[in-house]
Amino acid sequence: MKSVLKIIVIMMSVFTASLAMPAHAQLSIDITKGNIDPTPIAIPDFMSTDSRGQQIGRDLAEVVRADLERSGLFRALDPNSFIEKQTNIDYAPTYADWRVIKAEALVSGRIVVESDSRMRVEFRLWDVFGGEQLSGLRLAATPDNWRRMAHKVSDAIYTQLTGETGYFDSRIVFIDESGPKTDRKKRLAIMDQDGANPQFLLTGPSTVITPRFSPNSQKITYMSYENIVPAIYLLEIETGRRELLGSFPGMTFAPRFSPDGNKMILTLAKAGNSDIYSMDLRSRSTTRLTTNPAIDVSASYAPDGKNIVFNSDRGGSPQIYTMNADGRNVKRISFGKGRYNAPVWSPRGDKIAFVKSTGGKFHIGVMNPDGSGERLLTESYLDEGPTWSPNGRVILFSRETRGRGGKNEIWSVDLTGTNLRRVPTPGSASDPAWSPLLP
Amino acid sequence: MRFGLPISLFAHGLFLAGGIFVFGRNIPVLDEGQVVAVEMLTLAEYTNVRAAVKRPKPKAPEPEIEPEEPMQLETPMETAEVESDVVEKRQDVAAEREPEPEPKPVKTAEAEISEPDKPKDETPKPPEKPVFDLDAFSDIVNRTRDAAPEKNQQVALQSEKNLYEYADIARTASGEGTGLSVSLLDKLQTEMMRCWRESRDAVDPETLVVQFRLRLLPDGYVETVELLGETGNGPFAAVARQRAAAAIKKCEPYDFLPEENYSGWKDMTLSFRPRA
């Protein structure tokens, strides 16, 4: 009996081992390093049968090319190099013609203007080397909205080729600055993420600072100095409806939203001591989260809402700390030389962006939520106010140039630190806040 | 005298402590160097060259047959008279073998070629030793070459499978990397690196491993591609799979691999493993 059992066990072992063994191949090679150059992508003008559609097709393709180029992950090929001129997007392209010009992906699209108030955008994304369609999408909008359609096309391409959600169909609120440094006018403005369509959100000369976007709706909070005491407002961008949340003497930053948009986290100075509080937006009740005699400021929620990152000088110099959403389990996570400020948790949850000043220079940096993997992405005379793209891959910040005539500009940098670009603004601009993706 | 030992111990202790104090401070702290990962591999796995041994020099036959000596001791006393015959016969064998020239013709030839102008050795040579005639030898070689050119080519012996691989004969291939030398494997890896777009922008890219099995045609074009396995899931895994498949296609044709080693690369497994 025992020997029979033994034989069965041996047979099972052999069978299992034969299953576990990989399929036999004589040569086995590990490829551990690849190419990280931008992906060459061909985006011909979107075709159309009527002249208006053709104009929109040209403009739309141009915006898509610019969006993808600006991400740093793609290289849009020159349309003059294209060999094949497609006439119908419903047929597969001649892949060999696109391989010759080294395109790895091809976008072929068309515009169908159905009426003055309705336009259809259709496109297919082809994998040139795989020889197959990766995605196909049809969008409908008014012809005036072609720019948003272009951003939506860019998002779809970006998502399909990188695995990340896109960030092109989003907007940026910022502070438009005018006048000399000593008497600067600061007005709340908004524009597309690529700098197009800038417009003021508020009329009047009031000074406004630190706008913050709700992570899941088109609402912002900002701090206004309409009166002597700074006040916090909540503004619905689509309707222009404005609501006073309260006046808070001594406050220097607007509050930030919680991930669900129902709470805000803010710093209140009471009896000369700054501590972090959360405010329920429905009941307007506040809960104190820190009770330290040091200055605790710049709190930001993790995307899961369970943790908070903030800035405190309780260790002797401004450093970054994390704690649970209820204020317990406070941990210091920054230990490098210099002063750390303005930590912001990434919407992806894997990084915390911050401002670091050391050696007379300012840097925008990122670190893991446990403080490891600190990397400085920028260096300049003054970089401040980081804000994340909706997909947590790009950071916007304001940069001030040195000197009396120095002005503020908005810049973007990706997580690798290699794709640093200035975002075009009508004039001097600061305090950017990136919206979530538009609905 | 009573205090001699304690004083000696104290003095030694003091000396040692002083030494530690003086030299201990001067021990330089080594800089933390960058750790370079070194992968140990067996050369035979990656080359088509089997480990070879030097062919042993043919030994000159020994005149006396030593191992048979003990037999004499075991020879019964009754056959003692025959012993002389045995010894005589043995001597005959030895005498027959003795005049055989030492088998070093090649060495002689080398000496002749390298030192042609040297005065000939005046010492009389033993008459039985053959005189090497380079011209005659060259004629023989040329005739053989003309008559049977195939005999002039080095070929692997059929019978050598289980024998030593001598360094001076052609060897058959063995090992995992049959047919592909290290440089060709490097070339293949480099080409794949060029063709493969790494998912470095993904979350935890090191978890996105994709393994494909390829069967290639002799002209380097892909005959079949089979997905063996992948780790990770979600959109990043899908993109990693698509990029690996595109890399295989992009590198086509694999005509940089030598056709004579086709058996070595016609069937291969490629594992795309991004590093963190």
Side-chain angles (χ1 to χ4, degrees):
Chain A
M1 185 63 194
K2 216 172 179 179
S3 62
V4 171
L5 199 68
K6 204 173 175 181
I7 290 167
I8 290 170
V9 168
I10 290 169
M11 283 176 72
M12 282 179 73
S13 312
V14 169
F15 179 67
T16 315
S18 67
L19 281 181
M21 272 197 286
H24 174 72
Q26 284 185 315
L27 190 60
S28 182
I29 295 178
D30 278 9
I31 297 109
T32 55
K33 203 176 163 192
N35 175 3
I36 53 166
D37 293 341
T39 306
I41 186 168
I43 309 170
D45 295 342
F46 282 29
M47 54 194 88
S48 182
T49 51
D50 64 286
S51 58
R52 188 182 181 199
Q54 283 167 358
Q55 182 58 48
I56 293 174
R58 278 192 291 274
D59 295 342
L60 191 142
E62 190 57 47
V63 169
V64 174
R65 284 193 283 264
D67 276 348
L68 296 175
E69 281 258 4
R70 211 170 41 255
S71 74
L73 300 178
F74 299 91
R75 181 166 56 86
L77 297 172
D78 183 357
N80 291 325
S81 67
F82 300 165
I83 299 167
E84 188 188 21
K85 302 286 179 205
Q86 278 187 289
T87 53
N88 192 338
I89 67 165
D90 297 328
Y91 295 104
T94 311
Y95 294 113
D97 285 353
W98 300 99
R99 280 180 202 147
V100 167
I101 60 166
K102 303 215 182 318
E104 291 187 15
L106 165 69
V107 180
S108 43
R110 73 171 155 233
I111 307 285
V112 180
V113 181
E114 293 175 336
S115 68
D116 283 350
S117 60
R118 189 176 160 82
M119 176 187 84
R120 229 170 53 222
V121 177
E122 297 169 349
F123 78 94
R124 294 177 195 276
L125 173 64
W126 307 95
D127 178 357
V128 172
F129 284 94
E132 59 178 359
Q133 179 184 307
L134 291 174
S135 73
L137 208 62
R138 177 183 294 167
L139 308 161
T142 59
D144 296 341
N145 241 342
W146 65 268
R147 221 183 158 84
R148 271 203 70 194
M149 293 297 103
H151 292 318
K152 287 224 176 274
V153 171
S154 305
D155 280 336
I157 296 166
Y158 184 94
T159 302
Q160 189 62 48
L161 294 180
T162 66
E164 300 263 15
T165 51
Y167 60 89
F168 303 111
D169 189 26
S170 60
R171 291 186 289 188
I172 299 166
V173 290
F174 63 100
I175 303 299
D176 178 79
E177 301 184 355
S178 55
K181 261 187 178 179
T182 48
D183 182 27
R184 204 161 265 186
K185 301 279 183 295
K186 296 190 172 189
R187 297 175 69 190
L188 192 62
I190 192 165
M191 62 184 179
D192 293 352
Q193 53 77 32
D194 57 355
N197 297 325
Q199 49 191 294
F200 291 115
L201 278 174
L202 299 171
T203 54
S206 59
T207 292
V208 171
I209 60 164
T210 61
R212 314 279 197 219
F213 248 108
S214 164
N216 54 9
S217 65
Q218 297 299 312
K219 288 182 188 171
I220 57 166
T221 60
Y222 62 90
M223 178 174 278
S224 172
Y225 287 89
E226 280 177 42
N227 304 306
I228 295 169
V229 178
I232 303 294
Y233 287 90
L234 182 67
L235 176 71
E236 279 188 34
I237 293 173
E238 300 303 328
T239 62
R241 187 169 157 270
R242 195 169 74 138
E243 190 181 345
L244 177 67
L245 288 180
S247 294
F248 305 99
M251 185 183 282
T252 50
F253 294 107
R256 282 187 190 276
F257 285 89
S258 64
D260 59 8
N262 294 329
K263 282 192 290 187
M264 291 205 300
I265 192 162
L266 64 161
T267 298
L268 293 178
K270 290 186 179 175
N273 181 27
S274 295
D275 275 311
I276 291 168
Y277 292 73
S278 69
M279 175 194 273
D280 190 306
L281 279 174
R282 285 162 297 193
S283 65
R284 303 287 162 88
S285 62
T286 54
T287 308
R288 187 172 182 171
L289 299 177
T290 61
T291 54
N292 198 284
I295 298 169
D296 299 333
V297 290
S298 302
S300 167
Y301 276 104
D304 61 3
K306 292 177 180 169
N307 293 285
I308 291 167
V309 62
F310 65 101
N311 185 223
S312 175
D313 66 351
R314 61 185 66 190
S317 67
Q319 297 290 337
I320 299 174
Y321 294 78
T322 57
M323 64 182 173
N324 297 349
D326 59 4
R328 284 185 291 188
N329 194 21
V330 175
K331 277 188 293 190
R332 178 174 165 178
I333 61 167
S334 67
F335 293 95
K337 285 178 185 171
R339 300 156 69 87
Y340 293 80
N341 285 295
V344 192
W345 215 304
S346 143
R348 203 157 82 169
D350 60 338
K351 299 282 176 200
I352 290 169
F354 56 86
V355 177
K356 183 175 182 177
S357 56
T358 177
K361 296 276 185 188
F362 280 76
H363 309 267
I364 301 294
V366 289
M367 62 169 67
N368 298 328
D370 61 0
S372 63
E374 180 181 321
R375 275 188 297 128
L376 300 180
L377 307 177
T378 70
E379 179 186 298
S380 92
Y381 166 66
L382 182 56
D383 285 348
E384 58 183 357
T387 178
W388 287 95
S389 63
N391 68 351
R393 212 190 169 278
V394 183
I395 298 169
L396 281 181
F397 59 97
S398 51
R399 169 170 285 183
E400 187 178 328
T401 49
R402 191 195 286 264
R404 288 186 86 182
K407 63 178 207 171
N408 282 314
E409 294 168 339
I410 295 177
W411 287 70
S412 73
V413 66
D414 70 354
L415 270 184
T416 64
T418 54
N419 187 27
L420 181 70
R421 289 165 190 260
R422 184 177 168 265
V423 180
T425 51
S428 194
S430 65
D431 284 350
W434 210 318
S435 81
L437 280 178
L438 291 167
Chain B
M1 281 299 282
R2 273 171 57 194
F3 300 106
L5 186 63
I7 288 169
S8 171
L9 285 172
F10 178 74
H12 275 87
L14 198 67
F15 183 74
L16 281 172
I20 289 167
F21 182 74
V22 171
F23 296 110
R25 285 179 165 187
N26 294 334
I27 294 170
V29 179
L30 293 175
D31 292 333
E32 276 187 28
Q34 193 184 353
V35 178
V36 179
V38 176
E39 189 181 357
M40 301 298 288
L41 51 88
T42 314
L43 190 64
E45 287 180 6
Y46 290 88
T47 68
N48 58 359
V49 181
R50 216 184 252 182
V53 294
K54 215 173 179 182
R55 187 190 289 275
K57 281 183 184 174
K59 285 178 183 173
E62 292 166 3
E64 59 275 325
I65 303 169
E66 296 270 348
E68 286 183 18
E69 286 294 325
M71 289 294 287
Q72 289 179 15
L73 295 173
E74 285 175 15
T75 310
M77 290 301 287
E78 298 81 39
T79 56
E81 303 89 70
V82 188
E83 191 187 330
S84 60
D85 294 337
V86 175
V87 172
E88 273 177 24
K89 277 181 184 171
R90 208 181 294 140
Q91 281 172 347
D92 289 342
V93 171
E96 278 173 16
R97 289 185 182 182
E98 218 169 346
E100 274 183 19
E102 286 191 7
K104 291 178 181 174
V106 179
K107 277 193 175 177
T108 317
E110 279 174 4
E112 291 282 333
I113 292 162
S114 57
E115 296 169 13
D117 300 331
K118 266 191 174 179
K120 284 193 175 174
D121 200 353
E122 294 300 319
T123 50
K125 287 176 185 174
E128 65 270 18
K129 218 171 187 178
V131 177
F132 185 79
D133 184 349
L134 182 60
D135 294 335
F137 182 72
S138 182
D139 286 345
I140 290 166
V141 169
N142 289 338
R143 273 202 301 275
T144 312
R145 194 176 284 164
D146 295 341
E150 73 280 356
K151 287 186 178 177
N152 199 40
Q153 291 172 356
Q154 277 197 321
V155 289
L157 296 175
Q158 292 298 315
S159 56
E160 70 172 4
K161 267 192 172 177
N162 298 316
L163 295 177
Y164 285 116
E165 299 284 2
Y166 291 117
D168 60 346
I169 57 171
R171 277 153 279 155
T172 53
S174 70
E176 281 180 25
T178 300
L180 288 186
S181 63
V182 174
S183 59
L184 276 172
L185 281 171
D186 281 349
K187 173 77 176 161
L188 180 57
Q189 249 171 346
T190 308
E191 286 297 315
M192 292 312 300
M193 283 175 188
R194 187 180 58 77
C195 299
W196 177 45
R197 195 161 298 287
E198 197 178 336
S199 295
R200 196 170 283 184
D201 42 324
V203 179
D204 300 329
E206 69 279 6
T207 62
L208 304 170
V209 180
V210 185
Q211 199 174 46
F212 276 105
R213 183 182 184 185
L214 271 76
R215 286 200 181 85
L216 298 173
L217 295 166
D219 58 4
Y221 282 89
V222 177
E223 186 182 18
T224 58
V225 183
E226 179 191 350
L227 179 68
L228 289 184
E230 59 182 331
T231 58
N233 45 39
F236 290 123
V239 169
R241 184 175 61 243
Q242 185 250 325
R243 288 183 179 186
I248 290 168
K249 203 73 183 155
K250 196 177 168 188
C251 265
E252 201 180 29
Y254 296 77
D255 51 4
F256 50 86
L257 299 172
E259 203 173 336
E260 60 269 25
N261 297 110
Y262 176 56
S263 61
W265 51 262
K266 69 178 178 185
D267 189 356
M268 64 169 111
T269 302
L270 296 179
S271 302
F272 296 87
R273 300 176 191 276
R275 286 191 177 156

